[in-house]
Amino acid sequence: MPLELDISYSFQRLLEKSRAVSGRLISRQLTFIIDSFLRTRFEKSSGILKKGEEVAVIALGGYGRMEMAPHSDVDILYLHNGVPDSKLSEIISSINTYLYDSGKEVGHTCRTIKESFRYLDDMSSFHAVLDSRFLTGSKELFKKYQEEFLAKLPSKFSTRYNQAKEDQLSERFLREGRPILLSEPNLKTDLCGLRDIQYLYWTEKSRSPIRSLGGLAVLPFFQSGEVQALEEAYDFLIRVRTALHILTGRKHDRLDLNLQPEVAEYLGFGKKEDMQTIEKFMNTLYSHQKNIFFIVRIYLDSLLAAQKKGEAENFDYEGIRFLKIGNTIFPPSEGNLFADPHTLYKDILLTFRMIQETGFEVSGGLLSEIRFASHFLDDDFRYSAEVNGGFIDILQNKKERGRILKLMHECQVLGALLPEFGACTNFPLFSYHHEFTVDEHTLLILHELDRLDKGEFEDREILEVYKECDKTEILALAILLHDAGKVKEGDHSEYGAELAVSVGSRLGLSEEDTDLFRFLVEKHILMSELSSKRDISDKILIRNFARTVSNPERLKLLYILTIIDTKSVGTNVLTNWKKAILNVLYKNSIDFFRTNRADHEDPHGEEERIALAKDLVAYLTEKEGQEPKIAKTIASFAYSVIPKSFLKTVSNRKILKYFKSITSLSQDGSSVLLLDLEQDPAFVTVEVVSRNIPEILLDLCCSVSSEGLSLVGMQSYTFEEFQIHILQVTDPQGSGNISSEKLSRMEGKLRLMASGELQRDSIAFERTEWNPRKTIPESIINRSVRFSNEDVTDTTIMEVRMPDMVGLVYRILRKVFDFGLKVSHLRVSTSADYAYDSFYLQTKDGEQVKDAELLKSLEDKILRIQPVERMTGELVF
């Protein structure tokens, strides 16, 4: 039987019965399979060697340390003592060809012992030879290789690389603003992955003769069980990595969201359709990663202590003794820091207060001491008036309170004090939109709060708003609980608000502060929802929002929370566009408060529109040189445009421009005129005037999406038989950085479609750029279509939540037009995996859609929208 079939068959048999087996055992068995076939091939090919010609085949890297996954590379050193190249080539070809044919990627090198010294100036090569393992061939030559090469590796390389590894680990593990847990971790290279464990192991292996990870237990700074926990974490990571290779059929180390249900089921956590299966699996993974985090921190402590041994000194804080080395605080060298049960609560809170006041770095050893002591924090701890008072003191101190709360969480103290937040620990969200677990996301928001306190936040305008905020300790509390409700099914904001009332009472907050706390938790997504799904220029919406907020102080805190919450969801989630629309909502609302409009009895703004029309006449005559009669005609036009918000939301300059365009269209009989493309930092505004033809919106959607751009907002205005369409378009990153070439092509396509020379369906689902977005697992898809007739008197608002796909807005609009409805306003808010789109619908007569059967039919049609399948069978998302 050919070798490739033997290897494939042997792998298959092993893997079929190894789902519940130790990860390291699987790796060793896979390694043994490769070893056996490689030895067989060498025995068959090495007969060409003459006496005195020696070759030793040596495994390197992951293959050398027996850390094989099903699709790992096979790294081999062909060590020889001067064998002719022709013979070496024949032996190497015999082995490598069979390995290639078996589907293995092979990395090989061919050297003498002397030549091996030339290839140490690369850290990865240096690490690979540290894991050298004899496979077959000349044992004498391998022994010589050990004595004359491995035992004599120049110290300059080990010193340099050990320092590099220490620097990298310090950067990764001591940077306190960095999240630990990711929703889609790379098991090899992300924080607390296999590479971090290997760095620790390689560093110690270059210093002492340890041969396995378990050998680290001899190091004096590790306590009983810590190395075992590291081995268990390492074992689980390998199990998960093996499952990924099997399920994807290739070398794949990132635990993508769409693979998590498959991996969880493969490893025996339950049925993949059950969300609890994924939660249990990911929680297990995150627990192992947290153990890696603490153990590496302890290891880094030992390096610091060794480097600054002479600088150690005692440090006393309110009767508690610590050890200080440089700017890092350690447990005392003698005695147990939290041994006295009568002072345990006070001592723990004082320790965190000390860290906050001094700004000291915290050693992993001290964190571990607190973590161990946290097991003795019971109900009495969280109901202690002294403890709660100390906690409020930490929140009121604007010095690094986010950092302190993060440290309290890592030590499990925060969860003991606020079990409502503790329930979020390691809780995954299963969304491409959220890059982190609930607790990590929350801690990132707190990091942004620290940056605001320090005046380091990059947006100066937001920083100025924050400086006007009072009660920022309540904001910090709201941040802690804003997503705590996600551990329970249903509206997480409502459940979170219930938790806030309970926590406020337990902490002894005043009635006023508890109400503010509850408000911020309950309404923490309100500004995001309104800005992305509603017409934020609508006067009634602003009035209702202002009444909900009740005063400018609450508005400022809610605005800050919304900004830093959105920013901390994931990379590039807080786009320029989202910042811009949130800022508009904030400024419109502040203006509402400042002009005392909350009790205004003109909700439809008739008096204001009349005043604006008069101002328009004055502007046209004084600034634009229009005759008074013409100016009044233009003002009458603006007053008649539907919806009535036209006069308030469109500048006088543009009103004049739109009037001229409509006049031009009415005279020359054209159907469409592209007015302008205006580029802003957050978006590009596209302005189109046309005759009243609904299909023009379909043309606009096609021209935008076919260029890989995003339509994020649209407002349509109607005057007699004409329409004005104002669109906001961004690039995929949510900015207005769009090339003039793209905009020109978009305009050209629009004109061709308007003239009938280009069929919109021919470009509706194409992309000019590669889109890396992955398919969403069916288990986490939640489609919905909702209708509301409550917010706007003459309009039905339709909210659509769908997996994002190419041409989605276009296809929804087609369904809407098929039912004879109009769209006056559109808001598009797309996260990494979902589209949250709002459509303002009206009947042909400009009224609300009240036909329940029609709305139900429209809902059914939209929910059945699926990714378009091209003729090639390729799914286009």
Side-chain angles (χ1 to χ4, degrees):
M1 184 180 293
L3 175 63
E4 61 270 26
L5 296 181
D6 287 344
I7 290 179
S8 176
Y9 179 67
S10 298
F11 268 32
Q12 183 179 350
R13 286 195 62 190
L14 171 66
L15 296 171
E16 282 175 354
K17 54 186 179 182
S18 64
R19 297 189 182 193
V21 176
S22 156
R24 285 176 292 172
L25 180 58
I26 298 171
S27 291
R28 287 177 179 275
Q29 293 296 325
L30 293 174
T31 302
F32 289 149
I33 291 172
I34 298 293
D35 287 355
S36 63
F37 287 110
L38 190 149
R39 290 188 181 107
T40 299
R41 292 310 309 168
F42 180 78
E43 289 174 6
K44 292 180 179 180
S45 61
S46 60
I48 61 173
L49 296 174
K50 293 181 180 180
K51 186 176 181 180
E53 295 178 340
E54 295 182 350
V55 174
V57 184
I58 300 171
L60 302 177
Y63 180 38
R65 62 181 176 270
M66 308 184 81
E67 193 182 286
M68 291 292 291
H71 294 280
S72 293
D73 296 345
V74 180
D75 294 321
I76 303 171
L77 166 62
Y78 293 96
L79 186 70
H80 66 97
N81 64 348
V83 176
D85 290 347
S86 59
K87 292 183 179 181
L88 288 172
S89 296
E90 187 174 339
I91 293 171
I92 293 171
S93 177
S94 173
I95 295 173
N96 287 6
T97 299
Y98 273 90
L99 288 174
Y100 285 132
D101 290 343
S102 71
K104 298 299 168 194
E105 290 293 325
V106 182
H108 83 275
T109 184
C110 182
R111 299 169 187 161
T112 63
I113 293 175
K114 183 178 180 181
E115 290 171 342
S116 296
F117 284 98
R118 303 175 189 170
Y119 300 93
L120 296 176
D121 56 353
D122 175 78
M123 191 162 76
S124 60
S125 299
F126 183 83
H127 290 151
V129 301
L130 282 182
D131 293 317
S132 296
R133 179 174 60 88
F134 176 74
L135 291 173
T136 189
S138 173
K139 290 183 179 179
E140 292 76 14
L141 183 60
F142 179 71
K143 184 178 180 181
K144 195 175 180 182
Y145 170 80
Q146 288 179 305
E147 295 171 348
E148 297 182 7
F149 175 64
L150 293 180
K152 296 181 179 180
L153 292 173
S155 60
K156 65 177 182 178
F157 291 115
S158 59
T159 301
R160 182 200 309 170
Y161 298 144
N162 286 346
Q163 186 60 53
K165 291 193 287 288
E166 180 185 341
D167 291 344
Q168 289 187 42
L169 288 174
S170 297
E171 167 64 18
R172 289 161 69 82
F173 284 81
L174 302 182
R175 198 175 74 193
E176 293 177 335
R178 182 188 182 98
I180 300 172
L181 307 177
L182 304 177
S183 63
E184 292 185 292
N186 185 303
L187 302 173
K188 188 173 182 179
T189 60
D190 276 340
L191 188 69
C192 299
L194 289 168
R195 182 64 75 225
D196 291 328
I197 299 175
Q198 289 159 0
Y199 271 15
L200 189 157
Y201 169 69
W202 283 327
T203 301
E204 288 307 311
K205 188 173 183 178
S206 69
R207 294 171 173 166
S208 59
I210 62 172
R211 300 190 175 205
S212 67
L213 198 58
L216 296 173
V218 303
L219 300 176
F221 43 80
F222 284 130
Q223 296 183 10
S224 175
E226 287 176 338
V227 172
Q228 182 182 348
L230 185 66
E231 288 185 292
E232 290 172 356
Y234 171 73
D235 190 271
F236 189 77
L237 289 175
I238 291 178
R239 279 190 69 204
V240 178
R241 186 185 182 209
T242 298
L244 279 173
H245 281 219
I246 293 168
L247 294 170
T248 60
R250 58 190 175 88
K251 182 168 64 176
H252 189 87
D253 297 329
R254 182 169 296 282
L255 187 56
D256 300 324
L257 272 176
N258 58 319
L259 292 172
Q260 289 173 14
E262 303 284 342
V263 174
E265 183 178 72
Y266 182 87
L267 294 179
F269 283 87
K271 295 292 185 183
K272 63 183 178 182
E273 295 82 9
D274 187 351
M275 189 62 73
Q276 289 185 345
T277 295
I278 315 172
E279 290 176 1
K280 187 163 55 173
F281 161 61
M282 293 303 295
N283 198 279
T284 301
L285 173 64
Y286 290 146
S287 295
H288 284 302
Q289 289 189 306
K290 279 287 183 71
N291 284 336
I292 294 171
F293 176 79
F294 276 97
I295 293 166
V296 174
R297 286 288 301 262
I298 292 170
Y299 179 74
L300 292 173
D301 286 352
S302 73
L303 299 179
L304 176 64
Q307 292 167 5
K308 300 187 176 183
K309 188 174 181 180
E311 299 180 26
E313 58 180 309
N314 291 324
F315 174 78
D316 293 323
Y317 181 84
E318 296 195 18
I320 307 177
R321 172 159 291 191
F322 301 92
L323 186 68
K324 187 168 89 65
I325 302 177
N327 195 47
T328 303
I329 204 79
F330 289 77
S333 55
E334 296 180 2
N336 193 324
L337 187 59
F338 305 107
D340 188 347
H342 299 98
T343 62
L344 175 63
Y345 300 169
K346 182 189 72 171
D347 292 347
I348 285 180
L349 263 292
L350 282 176
T351 298
F352 286 111
R353 186 191 297 175
M354 177 273 295
I355 297 168
Q356 186 176 31
E357 291 181 358
T358 62
F360 288 151
E361 300 295 327
V362 186
S363 67
L366 179 55
L367 293 178
S368 292
E369 289 270 356
I370 303 173
R371 194 183 189 201
F372 178 77
S374 71
H375 293 97
F376 300 95
L377 302 180
D378 51 20
D379 288 348
D380 290 340
F381 177 71
R382 62 176 157 271
Y383 284 103
S384 164
E386 182 181 21
V387 168
N388 288 326
F391 181 60
I392 294 298
D393 287 343
I394 289 174
L395 295 180
Q396 289 177 332
N397 186 343
K398 291 188 176 184
K399 184 178 179 182
E400 296 191 319
R401 50 188 160 182
R403 175 192 173 223
I404 300 304
L405 292 172
K406 183 176 190 293
L407 292 173
M408 292 177 71
H409 176 59
E410 289 174 356
C411 299
Q412 300 174 357
V413 172
L414 189 57
L417 183 61
L418 295 177
E420 297 84 357
F421 174 70
C424 303
T425 303
N426 300 348
F427 191 84
L429 287 171
F430 312 113
S431 169
Y432 296 125
H433 181 64
H434 288 83
E435 292 184 12
F436 316 108
T437 57
V438 171
D439 55 333
E440 291 284 1
H441 161 64
T442 302
L443 296 173
L444 282 173
I445 305 176
L446 290 167
H447 176 67
E448 295 301 327
L449 183 65
D450 279 351
R451 297 182 68 237
L452 286 165
D453 283 331
K454 295 175 184 176
E456 296 175 354
F457 198 79
E458 63 277 2
D459 191 309
R460 306 308 299 178
E461 187 173 357
I462 292 169
L463 188 56
E464 289 304 314
V465 174
Y466 179 73
K467 289 178 180 178
E468 299 174 5
C469 292
D470 293 322
K471 298 289 184 181
T472 58
E473 70 275 12
I474 306 300
L475 173 61
L477 267 178
I479 291 170
L480 281 173
L481 257 67
H482 80 291
D483 273 351
K486 287 187 174 179
V487 301
K488 185 177 181 179
E489 291 185 7
D491 188 330
H492 79 281
S493 298
E494 291 287 335
Y495 180 50
E498 296 171 14
L499 296 177
V501 173
S502 174
V503 170
S505 175
R506 191 169 73 238
L507 293 178
L509 299 183
S510 67
E511 184 176 337
E512 179 184 356
D513 287 350
T514 299
D515 185 58
L516 174 60
F517 182 19
R518 177 207 56 77
F519 163 77
L520 290 173
V521 173
E522 182 180 13
K523 303 300 181 183
H524 75 272
I525 61 173
L526 181 59
M527 288 191 75
S528 181
E529 292 276 324
L530 291 178
S531 63
S532 62
K533 297 180 181 181
R534 293 290 185 268
D535 179 4
I536 52 179
S537 66
D538 181 72
K539 184 176 179 180
I540 298 177
L541 179 141
I542 296 298
R543 182 199 65 184
N544 292 340
F545 173 62
R547 287 177 175 175
T548 299
V549 175
S550 82
N551 61 61
E553 288 69 33
R554 287 190 173 201
L555 173 63
K556 292 170 186 175
L557 288 169
L558 184 61
Y559 178 50
I560 295 298
L561 175 57
T562 304
I563 289 290
I564 58 179
D565 180 18
T566 306
K567 182 182 178 185
S568 303
V569 164
T571 307
N572 295 325
V573 174
L574 183 63
T575 61
N576 288 339
W577 161 251
K578 289 186 179 179
K579 279 199 293 187
I581 57 178
L582 283 169
N583 184 256
V584 169
L585 176 58
Y586 169 74
K587 287 185 174 178
N588 286 349
S589 303
I590 280 290
D591 180 60
F592 193 95
F593 284 120
R594 288 172 178 167
T595 53
N596 296 314
R597 295 177 183 170
D599 297 320
H600 205 288
E601 297 302 327
D602 183 27
H604 299 290
E606 289 302 320
E607 294 179 10
E608 183 182 23
R609 291 176 67 237
I610 293 172
L612 289 171
K614 291 180 179 178
D615 290 342
L616 175 60
V617 171
Y619 167 83
L620 293 171
T621 53
E622 296 172 12
K623 302 292 185 180
E624 299 289 346
Q626 299 291 326
E627 294 291 331
K629 184 177 180 180
I630 298 296
K632 289 180 180 179
T633 300
I634 298 172
S636 176
F637 149 76
Y639 191 85
S640 303
V641 172
I642 300 173
K644 296 178 180 180
S645 59
F646 181 76
L647 260 171
K648 176 176 171 56
T649 57
V650 178
S651 68
N652 291 333
R653 176 180 63 87
K654 288 193 175 183
I655 288 175
L656 175 60
K657 184 168 63 173
Y658 297 152
F659 176 79
K660 290 180 177 179
S661 298
I662 288 175
T663 302
S664 176
L665 282 179
S666 63
Q667 291 174 349
D668 65 18
S670 300
S671 60
V672 62
L673 173 65
L674 184 67
L675 284 176
D676 211 350
L677 294 167
E678 292 191 1
Q679 204 147 9
D680 295 300
F683 52 87
V684 170
T685 300
V686 180
E687 300 169 325
V688 177
V689 175
S690 71
R691 294 189 182 275
N692 196 355
I693 46 176
E695 290 78 9
I696 191 65
L697 288 180
L698 299 178
D699 295 342
L700 286 165
C701 287
C702 290
S703 62
V704 169
S705 64
S706 67
E707 288 299 323
L709 304 175
S710 299
L711 174 61
V712 293
M714 182 274 293
Q715 176 70 63
S716 292
Y717 299 98
T718 302
F719 175 73
E720 296 179 350
E721 63 173 318
F722 300 98
Q723 282 191 316
I724 302 165
H725 304 287
I726 305 172
L727 287 76
Q728 292 85 39
V729 178
T730 72
D731 65 7
Q733 285 71 49
S735 76
N737 187 25
I738 303 173
S739 69
S740 57
E741 292 78 9
K742 277 183 177 288
L743 295 174
S744 178
R745 288 198 302 268
M746 189 179 73
E747 179 180 353
K749 292 175 183 177
L750 180 61
R751 293 191 182 279
L752 289 173
M753 284 185 285
S755 65
E757 299 177 57
L758 178 65
Q759 297 299 312
R760 68 175 71 96
D761 281 355
S762 67
I763 64 169
F765 309 110
E766 71 177 23
R767 277 201 189 275
T768 58
E769 296 177 351
W770 176 67
N771 178 25
R773 190 166 297 151
K774 300 179 280 285
T775 309
I776 307 166
E778 283 296 325
S779 60
I780 64 173
I781 290 178
N782 182 20
R783 299 166 177 245
S784 66
V785 178
R786 297 177 181 176
F787 300 96
S788 172
N789 283 327
E790 298 176 359
D791 295 337
V792 186
T793 55
D794 60 352
T795 302
T796 296
I797 299 176
M798 178 179 73
E799 293 183 357
V800 179
R801 184 176 189 264
M802 297 275 285
D804 192 28
M805 61 189 78
V806 175
L808 178 61
V809 174
Y810 167 73
R811 297 172 71 185
I812 293 173
L813 284 173
R814 282 186 56 172
K815 305 297 183 187
V816 169
F817 294 153
D818 287 345
F819 283 89
L821 302 177
K822 298 191 301 182
V823 177
S824 62
H825 186 78
L826 169 65
R827 299 294 270 186
V828 176
S829 178
T830 304
S831 70
D833 49 3
Y834 278 110
Y836 299 84
D837 301 342
S838 297
F839 299 79
Y840 282 47
L841 308 180
Q842 291 180 318
T843 65
K844 289 183 177 179
D845 298 325
E847 298 176 350
Q848 286 185 335
V849 185
K850 297 183 178 180
D851 186 335
E853 291 186 7
L854 184 152
L855 293 177
K856 177 60 178 172
S857 297
L858 177 58
E859 176 185 358
D860 292 341
K861 291 280 188 182
I862 293 174
L863 289 176
R864 285 201 292 267
I865 292 177
Q866 296 294 330
V868 178
E869 188 170 356
R870 292 192 185 278
M871 296 298 292
T872 60
E874 174 191 0
L875 288 179
V876 180
F877 288 91

